Amino acid sequence: MHPKQLAQFLAICQHGSMSSAAKSLNIAQPALSKQIAQLEHELQTSLFIRHSRGITLTRAGSRLREEAAELIRRIESLKTSVRQGDVEISGDVTLALITSLAPAIAVELYKRIEQDYPKIRLRIIDYRSDRACTALMNQEADFAIVPNAAVDLPQAESLPLFQEDFYLLSRGEPGPRQGSVSLGSLADMPLVSTFHGHDLRRRIEEAARNSGISLNIKYETSSINVIGKMIEEGLAYSILPATFWLSQIASGKIMIRPLINPSISRVHSLCWLPSLALSPAAKVMRDLVPVEIQTMMAAGKLSANPLG
């Protein structure tokens, strides 16, 4: 077992199929299949259940996914540590996150900073996307992870991190997992959404308008927690990314179905102001965030797709 094999295994986990993973890795699918077969032989267990729709992780595969993601992250951290030599970085860094991503990303970043850079004081603030952009422009934050950076933050430097897909969220019901659903089929369903002007609402309305669809947004709220509770109670459906509700999805309280015709997605980027010199601690964060995001995607802690 070696890091390259583990990285290939994680790519399959992220993409959900051998063919998509092989394409992203720029290698032939038979070569990738051979590497995974060797890994399974070495571990003496099956990592995937192959079926017509792609792959599903076995219990052993799920365990390896978590451990492999952490190992790859540690290797990257070791590379950074060696490059920095004996210098122990310290300082304050403030990161603005949008509310729907803040719990997932903040916990992982705090753990990583505590473990690898204990003298860096990380402060994380969560806002809706437009307020996060304002916090960066007003120098209330050193960095912001926001969607639509090219349009909303043209003055900032930005590093695209991941693509986030939207799903139909509904109350969990017993039975087999349901497949994708078209946006047009939701016209008569009662929906709960954020207010006008919010990035989530803007993307949904834009997709519906471009497809000539009129959606029934019956309830509006500024609270993502209220949206989740209404979904769990069966009062309404919602069209949203899934990361904020991963635990409820895993427990069966909330069910998600991919959207098609059209699909809806957005790209999140790490942004900072080029006019301000980055401190050593800020430079660490700029390098650490992309690695940690990749680790989270590989471990299934972030409902997102890698770019490229």
Side-chain angles (χ1 to χ4, degrees), residues 35-49:
Q35 289 291 324
I36 297 304
Q38 291 175 350
L39 182 59
E40 289 179 321
H41 176 74
E42 182 176 350
L43 295 173
Q44 298 184 348
T45 188
S46 295
L47 300 173
F48 300 110
I49 299 172

Side-chain angles (χ1 to χ4, degrees), residues 91-97 106 110 113 120-127 139-143 285:
D92 298 339
V93 181
T94 300
L95 171 65
L97 293 171
Y110 278 130
I113 289 294
I120 291 180
R121 291 175 294 276
L122 175 62
R123 177 173 176 259
I124 292 179
I125 46 181
D126 69 286
Y127 294 124
Q139 300 179 28
E140 299 167 16
D142 300 291
F143 298 97
M285 284 301 301

Side-chain angles (χ1 to χ4, degrees), residues 280-302:
K283 290 179 180 178
V284 165
M285 284 301 301
R286 184 187 59 189
D287 295 339
L288 184 148
V289 167
V291 173
E292 197 59 37
I293 291 295
Q294 290 295 321
T295 303
M296 291 180 66
M297 287 192 290
K301 297 179 179 180
L302 188 66

Side-chain angles (χ1 to χ4, degrees), residues 173-201:
E173 300 289 352
R177 182 177 177 179
Q178 300 185 46
S180 56
V181 58
S182 68
L183 188 63
S185 67
L186 310 182
D188 295 327
M189 291 184 176
L191 298 174
V192 56
S193 186
T194 52
F195 292 115
H196 289 285
H198 195 288
D199 182 71
L200 294 169
R201 179 72 173 268

Side-chain angles (χ1 to χ4, degrees), residues 16 18 21 28 37 43 74 91 100 110 113 198 203 224 250 253 268:
M18 288 278 187
L43 295 173
R74 289 297 299 158
S100 60
Y110 278 130
I113 289 294
H198 195 288
R203 290 176 187 273
I224 195 167
K253 293 181 179 179
H268 291 268

